[in-house]
Amino acid sequence: MSPVTGAKDHIYKILELVGSSDKSIEDAVQNAITRASKTIREMKWFEVVQTRGHIEGGKVAHYQVTLRVGFTLEE
């Protein structure tokens, strides 16, 4: 059986990030990825592994998420 033309092995490194926001969980995710993209190239996927929040006066005051982010290694 011959290899598929154009097929490429994907090797990822995983980085853990923590993002926060006073608006939403989605905003906390975006904040983490936006900031990391300033110094990390080739980010390809993320997984939310933990969600936390802070409560003040019976309301959610702050969201915090822990992400695993995969990025491809440069050759």
Side-chain angles (χ1 to χ4, degrees), residues 14-18 29 45-52 64-69:
I14 297 174
L15 174 68
E16 193 166 87
L17 302 173
V18 178
V29 169
W45 56 266
F46 74 92
E47 171 187 16
V48 176
V49 294
Q50 190 174 56
T51 306
R52 293 180 295 280
Q64 190 177 59
V65 295
T66 302
L67 309 171
R68 281 194 195 118
V69 176

Side-chain angles (χ1 to χ4, degrees), residues 8-62:
K8 192 174 182 180
D9 291 333
H10 295 282
I11 307 300
Y12 297 97
K13 179 161 179 74
I14 297 174
L15 174 68
E16 193 166 87
L17 302 173
V18 178
S20 62
S21 171
D22 58 0
K23 295 177 186 169
S24 68
I25 291 169
E26 291 84 1
D27 199 45
V29 169
Q30 189 61 61
N31 288 343
I33 292 172
T34 298
R35 175 58 183 89
S37 70
K38 292 179 181 180
T39 56
I40 299 167
R41 292 186 301 275
E42 300 300 325
M43 288 189 293
K44 301 297 185 190
W45 56 266
F46 74 92
E47 171 187 16
V48 176
V49 294
Q50 190 174 56
T51 306
R52 293 180 295 280
H54 180 72
I55 300 169
E56 288 181 11
K59 294 184 179 182
V60 176
H62 201 85

